[in-house]
Amino acid sequence: MGGNLWPVDVKIRDQDGVISHQQALDAGLSAGQIQRMLNSRRWVPGLLGVYRSAQHELTYAAWLRAVMLWAGDQSHLSGAAAAYWWELHQRQQRPVEVCIEESRRLAVPATYVGQIKVRRSFVDPADSRRLRGIRVVGVERAALMGAVAMGAEGSTMLDRTIQRRITVAALEECLARLHGYIGAPRARRLLLAAGDGAAAESERLMMRLLRRAQITGWTVNRGLEVGGRHRIPDFRFDSFRLIVEIDGWAHHHDVDRFNDDRSRQNDLLLAGWMVLRFTWHQLFNEPDWVIGQILAAMRRQAA
């Protein structure tokens, strides 16, 4: 069936139902034929010279293609939209971020302000890819800057990506190329929590939360003997016999570490300690809830 389609129909099919004015001309249509397609409503006018076939829904993928056709082939899909295009998440986030050359100007039409963000930023050739017909930043840069753009959901997406697809080392190499880029400091902080410094970063974050809440009487990594073994909990609140443990991102937990964590928690509970566990994601994204849980545990132990 595909072999019987006109070149313009093949192009539309392969681009989620959208086509630019120039692409239609290149596929053999005249300006008059294009106008007749619009007059007959077989094509729907869209974003600055980008048309959508009436037979296709305006999906998020079609929207992204339309944005990139408007922006031009030297532009790069970036941010959360790029992470979506790399299939790192399924969140259909707007505005869609587009990176253009620093010497170029590209004004977003008033109708689309808030839906498209144009960022003048250099894209290193090592971070430039073409994926399913769209120029997009590489998967490492998409993961890092997408995580920054996605806010609270970003660290979860980055965690999942590291588990399944990209190494921390590859992300660190990409981050080095993003020096001075807006959002790079936060990306570095997210990556630090996923790398070898994860435990230390989690502890520093917890200490900042405790100090901000003016909670005192705790010690860090102070060992104790329970169950005939020496255990070193993350945080001890001796006056309340309360232990707070911080779990790193899931990919740091091999089977031996997982089993040891559970054995340690059982020993502490049997010795009369209350144990609270939080993830790095909770500390980073839900700090008030974490502090509320600790205060509630302290009240219960005091009672």
Side-chain angles (χ1 to χ4, degrees), residues 130-149:
R130 182 175 292 279
L131 179 65
R132 299 194 303 279
I134 284 184
R135 185 78 65 180
V136 60
V137 297
V139 64
E140 296 86 1
R141 178 164 171 169
L144 288 169
M145 305 315 297
V148 171

Side-chain angles (χ1 to χ4, degrees), residues 99-246:
C99 283
I100 65 173
E101 296 175 352
E102 294 174 301
S103 59
R104 188 180 168 203
R105 296 289 187 275
L106 184 65
V108 177
T111 307
Y112 297 99
V113 170
Q115 298 188 56
I116 304 171
K117 178 188 292 184
V118 175
R119 190 184 297 278
R120 293 166 59 221
S121 174
F122 172 71
V123 176
D124 191 289
D127 295 319
S128 177
R129 299 289 186 276
R130 182 175 292 279
L131 179 65
R132 299 194 303 279
I134 284 184
R135 185 78 65 180
V136 60
V137 297
V139 64
E140 296 86 1
R141 178 164 171 169
L144 288 169
M145 305 315 297
V148 171
M150 291 172 68
E153 296 179 33
S155 59
T156 303
M157 182 273 288
L158 188 59
D159 181 14
R160 185 169 56 247
T161 298
I162 292 172
Q163 291 184 58
R164 301 175 181 177
R165 193 160 180 178
I166 311 174
T167 65
V168 171
L171 290 169
E172 288 174 341
E173 290 181 11
C174 177
L175 189 57
R177 295 191 292 269
L178 294 174
H179 180 72
Y181 189 92
I182 296 175
R186 175 157 181 170
R188 183 173 299 281
R189 185 178 181 187
L190 287 170
L191 192 55
L192 178 61
D196 293 336
E201 173 64 14
S202 297
E203 288 172 1
R204 285 194 292 269
L205 180 54
M206 173 58 88
M207 286 189 279
R208 287 196 294 270
L209 297 182
L210 292 171
R211 287 167 179 155
R212 187 181 69 184
Q214 298 183 339
I215 296 176
T216 59
W218 45 269
T219 57
V220 183
N221 295 326
R222 182 184 173 192
L224 72 163
E225 298 294 326
V226 289
R229 285 176 284 192
H230 186 70
R231 298 297 192 179
I232 304 179
D234 293 333
F235 288 83
R236 276 176 57 179
F237 299 77
D238 287 359
S239 297
F240 301 95
R241 293 192 68 77
L242 172 65
I243 297 290
V244 173
E245 301 277 30
I246 311 300

